[in-house]
Amino acid sequence: ENIITSAKTAEISEEIKNFPNQYETIVGERGVQLSGGQKQRISIARAIYINPEIYIFDDSLSSVDANKEKSILEKIYNKTHSKINIIISHRTSSLRQATNIIVLDKGEIIESGTHEYLISSAGFYAKMHKEQTTNEHK
């Protein structure tokens, strides 16, 4: 039951149901039979299942489209809101709900604050966000 709930949080449960042996399917070393997005979502499901005190998501949704990313992030935040979540991402859309965003450039902190604050400050983060949202709508 916990495994299925974790898979639903990571939005991989429907795809697992289509695997030959569903949750018992052997996917090969390093998940060679899976797409990049499937690998990422299974890794997220595994992390959710383990239920650690600290989650570190390092570009964990880079192979997932923007709509699925938004849905998964909402589910992750709902499931892990009482834990520490560290999200490393190049996509500003992944960071909208963060309580504090730290922007690094060449290993140096150049900005920090909430999504709204960083957008209003018109710095590097705001420029990145504008470029990404403009590209999403093309």
Side-chain angles (χ1 to χ4, degrees):
E1 190 176 307
N2 227 357
I3 292 171
I4 293 168
T5 301
S6 299
K8 285 180 180 178
T9 300
E11 291 202 10
I12 191 70
S13 63
E14 291 304 313
E15 289 165 76
I16 291 172
K17 288 178 186 176
N18 292 323
F19 290 169
N21 297 315
Q22 296 186 3
Y23 284 88
E24 300 296 325
T25 301
I26 297 172
V27 294
E29 189 173 332
R30 296 187 190 176
V32 293
Q33 297 177 26
L34 303 172
S35 71
Q38 288 173 326
K39 288 178 192 176
Q40 287 180 326
R41 288 179 287 138
I42 285 177
S43 294
I44 290 168
R46 287 176 173 165
I48 300 287
Y49 177 78
I50 293 168
N51 194 27
E53 289 300 312
I54 299 173
Y55 289 90
I56 300 174
F57 298 104
D58 186 358
D59 230 2
S60 61
L61 294 168
S62 60
S63 295
V64 175
D65 70 60
N67 291 330
K68 191 172 284 279
E69 174 196 42
K70 182 180 178 186
S71 178
I72 293 168
L73 284 171
E74 286 174 9
K75 289 177 181 176
I76 288 172
Y77 287 131
N78 289 336
K79 187 84 171 165
T80 66
H81 69 277
S82 63
K83 309 287 182 138
I84 295 171
N85 291 290
I86 298 170
I87 300 172
I88 302 162
S89 182
H90 294 92
R91 285 185 181 170
T92 59
S93 58
S94 296
L95 308 171
R96 285 179 182 259
Q97 295 182 15
T99 55
N100 190 36
I101 299 168
I102 298 170
V103 182
L104 299 174
D105 185 30
K106 298 177 185 144
E108 300 289 325
I109 296 174
I110 59 170
E111 296 175 304
S112 69
T114 64
H115 176 78
E116 292 76 19
Y117 172 79
L118 292 171
I119 295 298
S120 68
S121 68
F124 180 83
Y125 182 90
K127 181 181 174 192
M128 235 174 79
H129 178 70
K130 184 177 182 183
E131 286 176 12
Q132 290 176 10
T133 55
T134 302
N135 289 336
E136 283 176 12
H137 299 295
K138 284 185 178 180

